[in-house]
Amino acid sequence: MLDALFRPRGVAVIGASTKELHIGNRVIKNLIDFGYKGEIYPINPKADEIRGLKAYKSILDVPGPVDVVHMVIPAKFVPQAVEDCGKKGVKHIIINSGGFSEIGPKGAAIEKDFLERAAKYGIRIFGPNCQGIINSDPDIRAYCNFTFTYPDPGYISIVALSGGVAEVIHQGFSSMGVGTRIYASNGNACDITIPEIIRYLGDDEGTRVVVTYVEGLRDPEAFMEAATEVAAIKPVLAMKAGRTAEGAKAAASHTGGLAKEDIATDLIFQKAGILDFRDEGELINAAAAFASQPIPKGDRVGIITNTGGPAVIATDVLVAAGLKMPPLSEKTEAFLKERLYPEASVHNPVDVLATGTAEHYRACLDAMMDDDNFDCVFVNFVTPFFVDTESIAKQIVEVSKQQRKPIVCNLMTDRRQWTETVRILQEGGVPCFALPSEAARAMAAMVRYRRILDRDKGTVKNFADVDTKAARDIISQAKAAGRRMLTAAEVYGICDAYKIPTASWAVADSAEKAVKAADKIGYPVVVKADSESIVHKSDMGAVALNLENGEAVAEAIKQMQAKFDASDLQFLIQQFTPGGLEVILGAKAEPGLGHIIMFGLGGIYVEVLKDVVFNLTPVTDAEADGMLASIKGAALLDGVRGQAGVNKEQLAETIQRLSRLVSDCPEIVELDLNPVMAFEKEIRAVDARIAIE
Ligand code: ADP
Ligand code: MG
């Protein structure tokens, strides 16, 4: 679909300018200087030629096919120009000019106008208010962009709305001597979307790595779909900016506060299998490694070094990232003992010593490629003046080109003196980094991707025993009555409908009825005052625990009646289930995405512990298990210091039932089960709240 945009046969520039500092001139210069393989047509009613190319008065005068038109004209002229492009049979228009939806309603109206005209002719719009695209494919060499960094051909493609960040990343590759394949920065993105471009890059054989930068997601669902598809076949690296409000968010006391928009983007990345980065330098390094190296089969790394300390730093970073450092196999050890200096250290890391030669490096590289103990190889390479570093570099390149296992290289040198060594490695496609921890993180990112490829996504369980109609009816009634918070009877009714286990319960509006209900539930019981106006019940004296008999129940109710004179006051009578591990389960609606599901350590200390994890609906069985395993206090679920563990199967099932409930009832904007009392045999929610829109 987007082929004509990224591989255009002809490019015209409407608004081509004779002035050198004008975008309408720069785009033409870029196309010429970058060596564009198609035809370039400047359109300008007043000029005969621009930068030595014949200029045309109108797009309609252009003789050959035009796949892409740049528009560098004031916004008000764009709709008519689009109309002309339609008549010419243009396929894509890159609108560099601004003055559209980004400036307000007046601009938005023009945007709508040209979009309608474009749709009429089947033209797709890139931008407006954007930089444009670059394709460095040697057959194309399209620099349809006004920026100034000319990439070498490469395997990394970049897509972002923000031109500034896309360009920073692009320059990062350029300064490392790493090429870029396709570059796309589409500004307002009024028509062609980021997910569409991600899909295109997924299909593009020349793209081995996709890099994207997001500030917010317009259409989270479409993004997730496209990213999931592409991440399954090639690494997708992403960075999200605008995170600093997170601390504040984590401090709030319920799911609604604990999970805000930022977390949603992280969860999308996680669920889609995107590698997320918080540091653009780290992202650039990882992309450089993916660009030239195969994906590791596992997480076991072998280190070859000719200097001690940096290998220690690398080891720390690799191990902290979860990689393993197994010993050499006996065979490798014997092989290397014969070939290296007697003083060399033949363990992992292998230290060939500073005087180690190209033959020594090669022996280590070959041995680690052959050794089934290793999935990837980390090379530490300092360039002493007394060895032939160029020969060492050539050996590393040769082995890297075999593409058996990924190699990263921490190259410690003076790049101004050892230019030939640097050149050999760079041109040979060995990802070289200037610091041991940078190289180690790039390697860790590759292993992260391996884990994504291997992970069990699980299945969404279909619970045939849920009563969706009952839950929906309860919600409809509350909605009709204009209530946002559901009553206790409604909340626990919904839990029952979805077989979410709760302590036995009843609702009463008088002491007499309460005692009857308590007799039926069996003592001891708990009494809680229920009213829309009572939020944190225990703080307000609305919870009476461990009531042993009818008198105690009646007394508790009398006191609460005296304290709260709410017109909607009711009483929840509940089985008293003390001594469990208190956990929290929650859900929060995320527009355009479904819901965020939360699990963690709960009870009244939830704000203090902040030990909660999140996932997106629909939560699969494997994901629910993963949630249980990933809280800091996960060991508590298995039991510590002689205590019994809790019923994890039921807990995981309840997470999935909750996910199903909010998916079936999207009106639920917030749901909290806090605490759920978890015991060895069973779990029981003892406090539940539901808010609807
Ligand atoms: P709120 O969160 O509104 O203050 P809860 O209903 O969660 O009120 O009660 C506060 C605390 O009381 C809970 O965290 C739990 O420790 C305890 N609790 C409440 N209900 C029960 C119950 N049925 N059995 C045992 N403990 C309970
Ligand atoms: Mg509570």
Side-chain angles (χ1 to χ4, degrees), residues 242-281:
R243 292 178 179 277
T244 38
E246 214 173 37
K249 283 165 197 164
S253 68
H254 51 88
T255 318
L258 281 163
K260 288 243 167 86
E261 192 223 341
D262 216 2
I263 294 175
T265 307
D266 289 342
L267 296 177
I268 292 172
F269 287 177
Q270 184 189 313
K271 201 151 178 143
I274 288 177
L275 291 166
D276 66 321
F277 291 84
R278 306 220 160 190
D279 179 297
E280 67 283 7

Side-chain angles (χ1 to χ4, degrees), residues 131 158 162-175 183 280 284:
Q131 282 181 355
I158 307 169
S162 159
V165 179
E167 188 58 14
V168 162
I169 294 171
H170 184 200
Q171 283 163 0
F173 296 135
S174 184
S175 65
Y183 174 98
E280 67 283 7
I284 289 167

Side-chain angles (χ1 to χ4, degrees), residues 174-247:
S174 184
S175 65
M176 287 174 81
V178 171
T180 304
R181 165 84 175 172
I182 287 175
Y183 174 98
S185 166
N186 69 340
N188 291 12
C190 74
D191 181 18
I192 296 172
T193 63
I194 297 268
E196 257 181 289
I197 299 170
I198 288 179
R199 270 219 172 83
Y200 180 80
L201 298 176
D203 292 337
D204 175 46
E205 271 180 32
T207 297
R208 281 199 204 151
V209 197
V210 178
V211 169
T212 185
Y213 165 79
V214 300
E215 275 162 9
L217 296 172
R218 294 260 183 89
D219 183 348
E221 216 175 336
F223 180 88
M224 179 131 109
E225 245 180 60
T228 305
E229 254 173 51
V230 177
I233 51 172
K234 55 184 83 169
V236 179
L237 281 51
M239 191 163 150
K240 150 101 172 87
R243 292 178 179 277
T244 38
E246 214 173 37

Side-chain angles (χ1 to χ4, degrees), residues 528 535-538 543 582 603-604 672-676 686-689:
K528 298 179 187 179
V535 181
H536 293 293
K537 294 180 292 297
S538 43
V543 176
E582 299 197 6
I604 52 175
D672 278 289
L673 303 176
N674 185 27
V676 174
V686 300
D687 185 22
R689 283 162 50 84

Side-chain angles (χ1 to χ4, degrees), residues 388-649:
D388 178 358
T389 57
E390 288 166 23
S391 294
I392 295 176
K394 281 180 196 153
Q395 294 304 326
I396 300 172
V397 167
E398 261 185 41
V399 177
S400 164
K401 288 217 158 126
Q402 296 170 352
Q403 298 276 300
R404 295 174 69 191
K405 295 173 185 175
I407 296 177
V408 297
C409 176
N410 167 39
L411 178 63
M412 296 161 284
T413 193
D414 178 353
R415 282 170 190 260
R416 283 170 301 186
Q417 291 187 62
W418 269 261
T419 48
E420 186 55 15
T421 302
V422 171
R423 192 195 62 78
I424 291 167
L425 288 166
Q426 219 165 55
E427 285 181 8
V430 177
C432 288
F433 307 95
L435 295 170
S437 52
E438 281 187 5
R441 285 197 193 96
M443 178 131 275
M446 286 200 277
V447 169
R448 248 209 293 164
Y449 184 59
R450 164 50 58 199
R451 294 202 174 119
I452 286 172
L453 290 177
D454 287 351
R455 73 184 170 170
D456 172 16
K457 288 192 172 182
T459 46
V460 178
K461 264 199 205 151
N462 175 38
F463 296 101
D465 58 357
V466 302
D467 188 345
T468 305
K469 187 176 177 303
R472 297 200 60 91
D473 284 351
I474 292 173
I475 290 171
S476 307
Q477 277 162 30
K479 227 171 161 178
R483 274 181 292 116
R484 196 183 113 81
M485 293 304 303
L486 302 194
T487 65
E490 290 167 339
V491 173
Y492 288 90
I494 289 174
C495 287
D496 288 353
Y498 272 71
K499 304 242 172 10
I500 290 169
T502 58
S504 311
W505 63 278
V507 168
D509 57 5
S510 69
E512 196 187 328
K513 284 183 198 157
V515 172
K516 255 194 204 143
D519 288 345
K520 213 165 143 198
I521 289 169
Y523 295 93
V525 296
V526 176
V527 168
K528 298 179 187 179
D530 176 47
S531 155
E532 187 147 15
S533 58
I534 306 173
V535 181
H536 293 293
K537 294 180 292 297
S538 43
D539 298 354
M540 298 171 75
V543 176
L545 299 173
N546 197 10
L547 305 174
E548 306 263 8
N549 48 46
E551 289 86 78
V553 169
E555 177 57 29
I557 294 222
K558 214 173 85 192
Q559 279 179 18
M560 288 185 199
Q561 277 168 333
K563 197 178 299 175
F564 308 106
D565 71 351
S567 59
D568 64 342
L569 188 65
Q570 296 263 349
F571 299 96
L572 177 75
I573 320 302
Q574 199 178 46
Q575 180 193 6
F576 181 53
T577 57
L581 176 69
E582 299 197 6
V583 298
I584 180 170
L585 266 61
K588 178 187 170 276
E590 196 57 45
L593 260 185
H595 287 75
I596 291 177
I597 302 291
M598 178 175 88
F599 165 74
L601 293 183
I604 52 175
Y605 298 130
V606 64
E607 306 92 326
V608 182
L609 299 173
K610 283 178 205 151
D611 190 6
V612 290
V613 292
F614 304 93
N615 215 314
L616 288 174
T617 53
V619 177
T620 67
D621 47 5
E623 287 169 344
D625 290 341
M627 289 175 81
L628 298 191
S630 55
I631 58 166
K632 291 185 211 94
L636 293 174
L637 303 175
D638 295 318
V640 286
R641 315 209 66 165
Q643 275 174 353
V646 307
N647 186 335
K648 291 210 299 194
E649 289 72 36

Side-chain angles (χ1 to χ4, degrees), residues 287-310:
F290 279 117
S292 68
Q293 297 300 309
I295 309 296
K297 296 222 162 61
D299 59 4
R300 301 161 309 160
V301 55
I303 300 183
I304 305 167
T305 188
N306 58 353
T307 168

